[in-house]
């Protein structure tokens, strides 16, 4: 499926499969960093005598500064090369993980999590740029789908692993796991060969490097298509924010039973990228886009009509969004990377940062004081679908050129 002949930039030591594994692992660091220590949050609060708000800041600050890291290091990789920025990011992440494990207060833990997030942002931004540097055509799309599938598996496994670890070690042990993961990734990165030739790098000054974000943003086809698909991602993160309240408080399920429903939904998030891989070459990109709109609208209608009937109906009502969002991520990323011949690091940064921002917005909207969280989720899904469809219609009406569509 993945061969050396499908690579633009060959890897003498890693080969095509080794490079793909490395990219996939780097994209698992963010969900691992967020979800691995979730079961330990009450313990952390008790040890530091911290309020739930302060403890949750260790999550919120990581998520926000992860987006900052993406925007910071993506453009720098266009100027200084992928390998140098990648090594820097992994070292920052690994050292920050060690500092988190040794944190003496909730405030230092928050500060170290911010540094850790910056390192994670570097890894994700560079890894997506490397996909564009190293692969082309259908192979590039398949690599993106595989990376997305691996990134979805991590949040399924991480809380379970974290809970298991807490039977033997304190919450600090979860960060030791992240230290080990960072160290292994650092070792593998020494075998990674540069994918961006010197002659193709940005030649401007250090500060003007960040202006390349604005240059990419001025590409209407890029920005318009990114906005449309980032809107479609918001309902999924809204679901993540409110699913426990829906299953436990609304339907009266136990926390253990809730975890089974959450895992079932996450299973279909893994199915999505593989479904996309099967559809490559079978349906056109525009047909795939319309399919994403249809699935989102179906989910909105189902949530607002039958979603409140039972936990099973709620699961079934939201599944179209789960499948759509996980399948659309590699599809939209492939299309967006095709819009840029240069400034790939900046483009990768904007793709991931904008998705993160819309995901954060979805989480905030989902957690509003709705009279019923299911109804609120249905409204969010419907509004996002309508805005995305309106944006798509506007792109077509203005005849905006989008490569690959």
């Amino acid at each position: 499926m993945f061969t050396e002949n499908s690579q633009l930039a060959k890897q003498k030591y890693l080969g095509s499969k080794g490079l793909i594994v490395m990219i996939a692992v780097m994209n698992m660091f963010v969900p691992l960093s967020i979800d691995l220590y979730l079961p330990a949050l009450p313990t952390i609060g008790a040890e530091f005598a911290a309020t739930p708000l302060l403890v949750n800041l260790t999550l919120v600050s990581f998520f926000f500064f992860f987006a900052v890291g993406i925007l910071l290091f993506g453009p720098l990789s266009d100027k200084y090369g992928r390998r140098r920025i990648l090594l820097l990011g992994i070292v920052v992440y690994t050292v920050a993980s060690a500092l988190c494990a040794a944190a003496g207060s909730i405030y230092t833990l928050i500060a170290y999590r911010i540094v850790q997030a910056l390192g994670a942002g570097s890894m994700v931004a560079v890894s997506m740029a490397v996909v564009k540097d190293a692969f082309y055509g259908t192979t590039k799309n398949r690599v993106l789908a595989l990376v997305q599938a691996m990134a979805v598996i991590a949040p399924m496994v991480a809380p379970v692993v974290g809970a298991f670890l807490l039977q033997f070690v304190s919450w600090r042990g979860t960060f030791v796991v992240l230290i080990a993961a960072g160290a292994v990734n650092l070792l593998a990165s020494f075998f990674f060969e540069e994918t961006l030739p010197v002659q193709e790098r940005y030649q401007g000054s250090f500060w003007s490097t960040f202006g390349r974000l604005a240059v990419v943003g001025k590409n209407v086809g890029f920005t318009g298509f990114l906005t449309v698909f980032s809107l479609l991602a918001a309902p999924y993160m809204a679901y993540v924010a409110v699913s426990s309240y829906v299953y436990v408080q609304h339907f009266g399920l136990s926390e253990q039973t809730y975890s089974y429903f959450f895992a079932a939904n996450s299973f279909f998030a893994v199915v999505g990228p593989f479904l996309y891989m099967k559809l490559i070459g079978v349906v056109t990109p525009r047909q795939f886009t319309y399919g994403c709109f249809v699935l989102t609208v179906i989910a909105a209608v189902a949530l607002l009509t039958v979603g409140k009937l039972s936990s099973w109906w709620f699961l079934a009502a939201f599944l179209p969004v789960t499948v759509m969002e996980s399948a659309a991520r590699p599809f939209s990323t492939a299309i967006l990377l095709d819009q840029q011949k240069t400034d790939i690091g900046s483009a990768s940064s904007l793709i991931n940062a904008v998705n993160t921002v819309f995901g954060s917005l979805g989480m905030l909207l989902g957690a509003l004081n709705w009279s019923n969280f299911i109804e609120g989720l249905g409204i969010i899904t419907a509004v996002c679908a309508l805005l995305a469809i309106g944006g798509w219609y506007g792109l077509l009406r203005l005849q905006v050129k989008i490569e690959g569509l």
Side-chain angles (χ1 to χ4, degrees), residues 188-396:
S189 67
F190 283 116
F191 296 95
F192 169 70
E193 294 179 282
E194 181 59 60
T195 59
L196 184 65
V198 174
Q199 62 272 20
E200 295 182 15
R201 298 179 189 176
Y202 177 64
Q203 300 302 316
S205 67
F206 174 85
W207 293 111
S208 64
T209 299
F210 300 104
R212 306 311 297 175
L213 292 168
V215 172
V216 175
K218 289 179 181 178
N219 183 335
V220 179
F222 178 93
T223 304
F225 195 77
L226 175 58
T227 302
V228 166
F229 274 87
S230 295
L231 278 166
L232 293 179
Y236 183 80
M237 295 309 297
Y239 166 84
V240 171
V242 304
S243 60
S244 61
Y245 298 100
V246 171
Y247 283 113
V248 176
Q249 293 185 355
H250 183 82
F251 292 120
L253 304 183
S254 67
E255 286 80 0
Q256 187 68 48
T257 305
Y258 155 66
S259 70
Y260 298 145
F261 277 89
F262 191 87
N265 184 77
S266 298
F267 169 78
F268 282 92
V270 178
V271 170
F274 290 102
L275 176 63
Y276 165 65
M277 292 169 68
K278 291 292 184 181
L279 291 176
I280 296 176
V282 178
V283 300
T284 67
R286 290 201 178 197
Q287 288 173 333
F288 190 90
T289 301
Y290 294 134
C292 291
F293 294 151
V294 170
L295 285 177
T296 308
V297 171
I298 289 174
V301 173
L303 286 167
L304 292 171
T305 54
V306 300
K308 292 181 284 187
L309 297 180
S310 72
S311 56
W312 288 102
W313 276 110
F314 176 68
L315 173 65
F318 194 76
L319 279 182
V321 171
T322 300
V323 174
M324 177 280 302
E325 199 277 335
S326 61
R329 182 64 66 87
F331 163 74
S332 60
T333 301
I335 295 292
L336 288 165
L337 290 176
D338 283 342
Q339 308 313 305
Q340 293 296 128
K341 303 303 180 185
T342 59
D343 299 313
I344 303 304
S346 296
S348 174
S349 294
L350 284 173
I351 292 168
N352 287 286
V354 172
N355 270 288
T356 301
V357 169
F358 274 89
S360 301
L361 180 60
M363 295 176 76
L364 290 173
L365 292 175
L368 290 178
N369 189 28
W370 300 95
S371 59
N372 183 288
F373 280 124
I374 299 175
E375 182 178 295
L377 186 58
I379 293 172
I380 292 169
T381 304
V383 170
C384 287
L386 291 174
L387 289 174
I389 293 170
W392 175 253
Y393 176 75
L395 291 174
L396 296 180

